[in-house]
Amino acid sequence: CFCVIMVGIQQSGSGTNTTHFVSQLQWYYARLFPLQSIHNWLSYSQPDSTLFSHREVSFTLSGDIYLRFRSFRNASELHTALKDRAPIKIDFGAIYNIPPVSRSTSHSPLVALEKELVFDIDMTDYIDVMGDLNEGNEMERTDKNWEYMAAAVTILDEALRGDFGFESILWVYSGRRGIHCWVADYRARVLSNESRSAIAEFLAIKFEADSASSKRNTFTVTHPLHPSLSRAKSQVCEQVFNEFVLLKQNILQGEERERKFLQWIQDPVLREKIESALLRSQSKSASVELRSDEKWHVIVKELKANGQLALIDYLILKYTYPRLDIAVSKDIGHLLKSPFCVHPKTGRVCVPFRARDAYEFRPKLNAPELSALIDELNSRLSAKECAQFNEKLDSLSLSELKYPSNELLEKYPGTCQFMQSIAVFQEFLLDLRHENSQLQIQRQDEIAAHEFIKNIN
C-alpha cells in the first residue's frame, strides 16, 4: 500500500524550476512512489535471492548528473537513496553476477545474466505520417496522435502473447511522448542478445522516412502477407488507417500531402496513372477537393487494376504499423525508465495501463501530473481528513483500487488516476506470482526426477 501525508510544498505550474521540482520529487518518493510494489516486481517473489541486489539501478540527478551501476541490498536502502538524491529519472538495467556497485572492487568481471525483454516506441518516429494533427507542443501532439500508440500496443501485445507465448507483460506511458513495454516472463528474462535481436527484428518493420534516401523501399511486402502481418492489418491497421489516418489526419488533403503519399509508389508509370485517375475524379467534383478517403478509393482501384495488391498492404502498414526502437530491445544491458517515474519535462507520472484499454487511455486524462497531485491533496485535506484518507488507502483491495468510490473520484480525481494505475501494476504482479509458483513446482518436479534416477542408478 502507499500512504499520503500532508506536506507544505508551495505549488506552481508545469514550468517549475529545477529546485522546486526536486522538492516535489522528495515528497513523491517519500509519500506516494509505490516502492514496495516495485521491489516485489524486481525480486520476483524471491526476497532472499540476488535478483534485486544485483540489479543495476541508474539515477539521473538534477543538472544532468548521470549515475550508472548503482545497486541496493533491499527496498529500504533504495528508498533512502530516492529520498536523499531525489533523481529526476530512474532507470533499471540488467541483473548481474555481482552487485553492480561493487564492480570496481570485485575480482570478477561484470556479466549481465538476465533482464526483461523491453520495447520502446516514441511518437517522434510517427511525425512523417501525421497530417492535421501534427500541431502543438510535444504533449499536445502526443495526446492528439495517441491512436498510433494504441495501435502499436494492440499489435505488439497480441504478437508477444500469440506468437511467442509470453504472458507477463507491462505497458507503461513514458510520461512524455511514447510507451514502454516490459516482458517479464522467465523465458524472456534469460534470453540471449541474439534471441532478443531475433524477436525485435521479427516484430519491427523499418520504413524509409524519405523515399529520396533510397531507390527502393526498405521493407518489401509479399502477397499474401506473413500471418502475423496479416493479423495486424486485418485486426488493427486497416481500421486505424481508414478512420484515423484518412479521416482525422486527412493524410491526402492538399497537393503537398498527396504528393508525399504518392512518392511511395516508386514505379513512375504507375504513379502517373494514379495521378491522372485522381485528376479525372477531381474534375467530376467541381471545385470541392476530394476527401482523403475518396482519394484513397481511387488509388486502391488503380493499384488493384495493375495487380499491385502488395503495395496496398505496404501503404497501410507504413502509416499504421508499430515503429520500434529495436536497439533498446536487442541489448540485455540496455536501461529503461522505471514505471511511476515523473517525467521532468512534463511533470506527468509514467503510469502503467492495460493493453485492452489502450484506445481509451489518454495521457492528458489518465497520467496525473505531480504538481496537481500535491495541490489536490494539500488543498483539500485537513490534518484529520488526511489521517482518514491514509487509513482508507492502506485498507483498499485491488478491486477498490481499480474502481474507486464516487466519493473518492469526486474529491481526489488525480489521486484516483494514480490508484487505478497502481491496480494495473498489482494485476501484473499477480501474473508474475502465478508464473513463479509454476516455476517452483517445475523445479521441485525436476529435483524429484533427478533424485529418482539417482536412486535407480
Side-chain angles (χ1 to χ4, degrees):
C1 292
F2 57 93
C3 181
V4 178
I5 297 177
M6 293 280 290
V7 291
I9 295 177
Q10 187 177 11
Q11 299 302 303
S12 62
S14 57
T16 57
N17 61 51
T18 303
T19 303
H20 182 64
F21 181 61
V22 169
S23 69
Q24 289 181 323
L25 287 174
Q26 288 174 324
W27 175 91
Y28 178 67
Y29 291 134
R31 313 299 183 207
L32 209 55
F33 185 73
L35 180 71
Q36 192 56 55
S37 294
I38 294 288
H39 178 264
N40 290 343
W41 164 36
L42 297 179
S43 61
Y44 286 94
S45 301
Q46 301 175 59
D48 298 327
S49 73
T50 59
L51 291 177
F52 183 80
S53 61
H54 287 197
R55 168 83 69 163
E56 179 187 358
V57 181
S58 169
F59 288 171
T60 303
L61 306 183
S62 175
D64 291 329
I65 300 171
Y66 193 42
L67 304 179
R68 278 206 65 176
F69 299 109
R70 306 292 94 188
S71 57
F72 303 91
R73 289 174 293 182
N74 50 52
S76 177
E77 197 174 90
L78 174 57
H79 198 201
T80 298
L82 290 173
K83 291 184 290 183
D84 290 346
R85 307 305 294 266
I88 62 174
K89 183 168 174 255
I90 311 165
D91 289 289
F92 293 134
I95 299 166
Y96 288 88
N97 58 319
I98 59 173
V101 73
S102 304
R103 73 195 187 286
S104 60
T105 58
S106 174
H107 296 296
S108 302
L110 197 63
V111 179
L113 302 178
E114 62 178 87
K115 193 198 73 176
E116 296 78 10
L117 176 63
V118 296
F119 298 94
D120 181 15
I121 303 177
D122 196 297
M123 190 67 80
T124 55
D125 292 325
Y126 288 81
I127 288 178
D128 67 304
V129 292
M130 292 181 190
D132 285 356
L133 304 183
N134 185 17
E135 57 185 11
N137 60 36
E138 286 183 326
M139 292 171 67
E140 293 169 339
R141 188 161 56 229
T142 298
D143 291 334
K144 291 175 182 178
N145 290 279
W146 186 256
E147 201 89 1
Y148 288 128
M149 297 292 105
V153 170
T154 305
I155 291 168
L156 293 176
D157 194 78
E158 175 63 28
L160 289 167
R161 295 179 190 277
D163 296 334
F164 295 98
F166 297 128
E167 296 180 353
S168 300
I169 303 172
L170 181 70
W171 292 97
V172 184
Y173 167 54
S174 70
R176 190 180 186 186
R177 60 190 184 208
I179 50 178
H180 298 154
C181 175
W182 300 78
V183 185
D185 301 62
Y186 179 73
R187 289 191 303 111
R189 303 200 308 267
V190 297
L191 288 170
S192 65
N193 280 344
E194 291 76 16
S195 296
R196 292 168 191 267
S197 296
I199 293 174
E201 295 283 359
F202 175 83
L203 293 172
I205 299 177
K206 181 174 174 57
F207 296 105
E208 291 289 350
D210 182 358
S211 65
S213 64
S214 175
K215 292 183 178 180
R216 55 194 294 271
N217 295 330
T218 300
F219 167 61
T220 302
V221 298
T222 58
H223 192 82
L225 286 168
H226 183 281
S228 66
L229 292 179
S230 179
R231 179 186 62 221
K233 180 195 165 196
S234 62
Q235 294 183 0
V236 180
C237 295
E238 281 185 315
Q239 183 174 351
V240 172
F241 185 84
N242 291 327
E243 298 179 6
F244 182 72
V245 176
L246 293 177
L247 298 184
K248 293 184 179 180
Q249 293 285 7
N250 277 317
I251 207 66
L252 286 166
Q253 207 69 17
E255 291 183 11
E256 177 60 26
R257 291 184 192 171
E258 182 182 308
R259 182 200 61 77
K260 182 180 176 182
F261 187 90
L262 293 179
Q263 72 180 352
W264 301 109
I265 302 169
Q266 296 180 353
D267 180 342
V269 176
L270 178 57
R271 187 166 60 246
E272 187 175 334
K273 285 183 180 179
I274 292 173
E275 289 169 347
S276 298
L278 286 169
L279 285 173
R280 289 194 301 273
S281 297
Q282 181 62 59
S283 65
K284 297 176 183 178
S285 62
S287 59
V288 180
E289 183 182 2
L290 292 174
R291 300 190 311 269
S292 288
D293 59 320
E294 293 172 327
K295 290 183 179 181
W296 174 243
H297 178 75
V298 174
I299 293 169
V300 168
K301 184 178 179 180
E302 288 298 317
L303 290 176
K304 286 182 176 179
N306 287 271
Q308 295 293 324
L309 298 179
L311 187 50
I312 297 173
D313 292 339
Y314 174 85
L315 292 169
I316 292 173
L317 292 172
K318 174 174 175 57
Y319 280 79
T320 58
Y321 194 79
R323 298 184 170 199
L324 296 174
D325 181 354
I326 59 174
V328 173
S329 307
K330 288 181 172 183
D331 184 4
I332 191 173
H334 203 292
L335 299 170
L336 193 64
K337 184 163 51 181
S338 167
F340 298 103
C341 271
V342 179
H343 199 291
K345 298 290 187 181
T346 65
R348 288 176 174 175
V349 180
C350 304
V351 292
F353 60 92
R354 301 174 188 86
R356 65 176 181 270
D357 298 333
Y359 286 100
E360 286 69 42
F361 182 89
R362 286 295 182 273
K364 184 177 181 179
L365 300 177
N366 301 110
E369 292 187 21
L370 178 56
S371 60
L373 280 174
I374 296 174
D375 181 62
E376 178 177 287
L377 294 169
N378 280 351
S379 64
R380 299 195 180 191
L381 290 176
S382 66
K384 181 178 179 180
E385 287 173 329
C386 182
Q388 293 173 343
F389 189 67
N390 288 340
E391 291 176 3
K392 285 184 178 180
L393 288 179
D394 284 334
S395 61
L396 289 178
S397 66
L398 178 58
S399 177
E400 289 170 318
L401 284 169
K402 290 168 64 176
Y403 310 109
S405 67
N406 290 333
E407 177 188 0
L408 286 176
L409 284 168
E410 182 178 345
K411 285 187 176 181
Y412 320 110
T415 306
C416 286
Q417 291 173 346
F418 189 84
M419 290 163 54
Q420 289 168 328
S421 69
I422 293 285
V424 175
F425 196 66
Q426 295 292 354
E427 291 173 346
F428 168 68
L429 294 182
L430 285 175
D431 288 341
L432 288 179
R433 280 197 283 272
H434 175 72
E435 188 200 25
N436 288 334
S437 297
Q438 296 298 110
L439 286 172
Q440 288 175 4
I441 293 172
Q442 182 180 333
R443 288 176 186 136
Q444 290 170 357
D445 290 342
E446 289 172 353
I447 292 172
H450 178 76
E451 289 295 322
F452 178 76
I453 294 171
K454 181 178 177 182
N455 291 335
I456 291 176
N457 294 335

